[in-house]
Amino acid sequence: MNLVRFLRLVMALSTVFTLAACSGSGSGTPAAGNAKATIAGSVEFPPVVPAKQTAKHVDAVVTNVIIKVYSVDTGQEVTGVTVTVNDSATNTNTYTYTTSGLTPNVNYVFKALRGNQVVRRYIPSTLVTSGAAVTGQTVDAVSTATVILVQTKLNLASGTILGETALPSGVSSAAINNLQPTFLETSIRNDIANGTASANVTLVTSITAAVAASTDPVKSPTAAITQQASTAATSYTAPATTADAAVQYVAQAKTALARQDVATASTAFEAALAADPANKDANFGGALTKIVMMIDDPKVKDIVAKWGVISPSANQVLSHASPVGNPFTNWTSAFQKLPSTGLAKTAAKSASGERNAAKAVASSFNLLRDSLPKFTPRGAIAKTTAKTAASTVIPATAPTVSDMQVLIAGTIIPSLQTALARLQKVEGTSYSFVMTKAMQGNPVSGVDITLNDGEIYALDTAINAFLCVLNVGVSYDLDVYDYDGNGTRNDYDKVSQDPLKTINQSTFFTLKSTGAASMTAGLTALQGAIT
């Protein structure tokens, strides 16, 4: 048996297979106490528009990005936080950032600067909870428009900048949150994505032009921006209650799914859950998109890249712009065999019905797995020695098994557990979700699929089964150890020639210090699947 292929199959493919199983933007589980929070996302600048500059000057445009954090409560810049910013590998105007050490329950404004270009984002205290790790917080023209609109709705005096100057008497940070800036922002993004002509979209266009011309649209707004902000603010009415907001977020999410924008849908579902944790649509939709969005997780992308494969984005997957294809497409073939009215008590006792349901779900997941991008060796392998063949197939950057186990234990398993908890909130409640033909990427000849108890329980079973396998997979030491003493732990090309040397390592396939707990978690998941 080729041990290298076995290890890669168990560890690497189980990782990617899990990603497709049901095929952030949201906050992690808060820790107890008053732990600091982390906010992460991207910064997007429009291309710089040069003003009477020579070509040489244009080439010398500043690319270094600085992010400053301000407390809305104090109107002062926050010190003691850690901010890291990284360039995008593919877009010179896009950056990623992580800000850690934030005090919870505080409203913040993030200000991103690239030379004279400035964009801002309002971060509500409801997101910055104790120990939270919040992702997907984009700082761009739309988030800047949201800041301007909030200032306009509050009738702040000219020259007052949210976060950078003290709030006037009579205006509290709570009043700002009552305007529900997150909902306002998602509404603007929804208008833009749908091609809707609105005052919001016009405002964003003017802000984009101002930032491109290196003008701060908040500190020095043009007359057009001021007028458009007034019009847009007048037309905006915040949802009366958080439950109302959740319903509208869900509507936005479904619209996004119909246009193959799973990233926006995930953001909207997460916002709906934050507004109303009991909303059933938000829990079910949030469970599905939570797993699909793991594809966009930087840690997942890093591991995939180390295997020599370019990981597609979640949106590329949904829009067929990648070899993966739409993860929801196969739901039609899988679930058309399942009960259309849910899992009746009699059906639950029917062995035949259970087998058919299990086969249908298994078939769907197999199709999803088979549609994942395959690693193609660089060059022909025929008529080569075992050593040459192995070195051709295994990239020099290949991660260790421990690297993959860390990813599974720290990222994939928690995401699956979150998705499972959300599904269980709608089980047995007579809930149903329509997976429209547009969501499946086949709006003309497709068939709408109504998912209810029968499908939800089957999905619950599948996720628990994956959790069992993954927990067992991270319980044991499976590292390929240094073969020739050169300090390289992932000597995959060497171990293929002498697998016994790895198998005979004293620590290989021994239980890790965390192995007992992982095995217990795997047993719990298996029992959940059986139940």
Side-chain angles (χ1 to χ4, degrees), residues 11 56 122 222 270 360 468:
M11 305 310 300
K56 182 178 181 180
Y122 178 79
T222 63
E270 295 295 336
C468 175

Side-chain angles (χ1 to χ4, degrees), residues 203-384:
L203 175 61
V204 171
T205 300
S206 295
I207 289 172
T208 300
V211 176
S214 299
T215 300
D216 187 337
V218 177
K219 185 177 181 179
S220 304
T222 63
I225 289 177
T226 301
Q227 177 58 46
Q228 290 158 6
S230 177
T231 302
T234 301
S235 63
Y236 172 69
T237 301
T241 66
T242 54
D244 290 337
V247 171
Q248 295 184 53
Y249 279 128
V250 166
Q252 292 176 354
K254 291 181 177 180
T255 300
L257 283 180
R259 65 170 181 262
Q260 313 298 287
D261 187 354
V262 69
T264 298
S266 177
T267 299
F269 278 131
E270 295 295 336
L273 284 167
D276 181 8
N279 185 287
K280 293 179 182 179
D281 278 327
N283 275 285
F284 185 79
L288 298 185
T289 56
K290 178 74 174 177
I291 296 178
V292 178
M293 285 305 295
M294 277 195 287
I295 297 172
D296 272 356
D297 190 290
K299 295 177 182 177
V300 173
K301 285 183 174 292
D302 179 61
I303 288 293
V304 173
K306 286 180 178 178
W307 278 114
V309 178
I310 297 176
S311 176
S313 70
N315 276 0
Q316 288 175 326
V317 169
L318 205 65
S319 63
H320 298 277
S322 79
V324 180
N326 187 334
F328 299 133
T329 299
N330 295 318
W331 287 60
T332 302
S333 59
F335 290 129
Q336 62 188 6
K337 299 178 183 179
L338 294 174
S340 60
T341 57
L343 191 64
K345 292 181 180 179
T346 54
K349 297 178 181 179
S350 168
S352 177
E354 288 175 355
R355 281 196 299 271
N356 289 339
K359 287 180 180 179
V361 175
S363 174
S364 175
F365 291 139
N366 284 335
L367 286 170
L368 294 171
R369 180 194 61 190
D370 292 341
S371 67
L372 290 168
K374 307 300 189 299
F375 176 72
T376 302
R378 299 185 181 92
I381 300 178
K383 298 181 180 180
T384 57

Side-chain angles (χ1 to χ4, degrees), residues 97-470:
Y97 74 90
T98 300
T99 305
S100 56
L102 295 168
T103 301
N105 305 317
V106 173
N107 295 302
Y108 293 99
V109 168
F110 285 13
K111 179 181 180 181
L113 304 96
R114 183 177 69 171
N116 292 323
Q117 291 188 304
V118 183
V119 287
R120 292 175 171 82
R121 180 179 185 84
Y122 178 79
I123 307 288
S125 59
T126 51
L127 283 181
V128 195
T129 55
S130 178
V134 185
T135 59
Q137 301 302 299
T138 304
V139 188
D140 63 358
V142 175
S143 64
T144 304
T146 303
V147 171
I148 292 175
L149 287 171
V150 167
Q151 292 186 169
T152 306
K153 290 288 289 186
L154 293 173
N155 293 317
L156 298 184
S158 177
T160 302
I161 301 177
L162 200 65
E164 297 178 48
T165 52
L167 291 174
S169 59
V171 177
S172 65
S173 56
I176 300 174
N177 288 342
N178 287 338
L179 292 175
Q180 301 203 34
T182 302
F183 178 76
L184 173 58
E185 180 187 332
T186 59
S187 298
I188 298 173
R189 294 191 189 280
N190 209 42
D191 284 349
I192 293 173
N194 290 330
T196 303
S198 67
N200 288 332
V201 176
T202 302
L203 175 61
V204 171
T205 300
S206 295
I207 289 172
T208 300
V211 176
S214 299
T215 300
D216 187 337
V218 177
K219 185 177 181 179
S220 304
T222 63
I225 289 177
T226 301
Q227 177 58 46
Q228 290 158 6
S230 177
T231 302
T234 301
S235 63
Y236 172 69
T237 301
T241 66
T242 54
D244 290 337
V247 171
Q248 295 184 53
Y249 279 128
V250 166
Q252 292 176 354
K254 291 181 177 180
T255 300
L257 283 180
R259 65 170 181 262
Q260 313 298 287
D261 187 354
V262 69
T264 298
S266 177
T267 299
F269 278 131
E270 295 295 336
L273 284 167
D276 181 8
N279 185 287
K280 293 179 182 179
D281 278 327
N283 275 285
F284 185 79
L288 298 185
T289 56
K290 178 74 174 177
I291 296 178
V292 178
M293 285 305 295
M294 277 195 287
I295 297 172
D296 272 356
D297 190 290
K299 295 177 182 177
V300 173
K301 285 183 174 292
D302 179 61
I303 288 293
V304 173
K306 286 180 178 178
W307 278 114
V309 178
I310 297 176
S311 176
S313 70
N315 276 0
Q316 288 175 326
V317 169
L318 205 65
S319 63
H320 298 277
S322 79
V324 180
N326 187 334
F328 299 133
T329 299
N330 295 318
W331 287 60
T332 302
S333 59
F335 290 129
Q336 62 188 6
K337 299 178 183 179
L338 294 174
S340 60
T341 57
L343 191 64
K345 292 181 180 179
T346 54
K349 297 178 181 179
S350 168
S352 177
E354 288 175 355
R355 281 196 299 271
N356 289 339
K359 287 180 180 179
V361 175
S363 174
S364 175
F365 291 139
N366 284 335
L367 286 170
L368 294 171
R369 180 194 61 190
D370 292 341
S371 67
L372 290 168
K374 307 300 189 299
F375 176 72
T376 302
R378 299 185 181 92
I381 300 178
K383 298 181 180 180
T384 57
T385 64
K387 180 178 180 180
T388 303
S391 62
T392 301
V393 175
I394 308 297
T397 56
T400 64
V401 177
S402 285
D403 290 337
M404 292 183 282
Q405 288 176 320
V406 168
L407 173 71
I408 292 171
T411 300
I412 294 176
I413 288 178
S415 292
L416 284 173
Q417 289 172 330
T418 298
L420 187 61
R422 291 173 177 178
L423 284 179
Q424 291 171 344
K425 286 186 178 182
V426 302
E427 290 175 353
T429 63
S430 301
Y431 170 77
S432 64
F433 184 96
V434 178
M435 188 71 69
T436 68
K437 54 189 178 182
M439 292 178 186
Q440 299 171 52
N442 191 5
V444 177
S445 57
V447 178
D448 290 350
I449 300 297
T450 300
L451 310 178
N452 46 34
D453 273 349
E455 294 80 15
I456 295 170
Y457 281 123
L459 189 55
D460 182 314
T461 301
I463 294 176
N464 266 307
F466 290 136
L467 284 171
C468 175
V469 172
L470 294 177

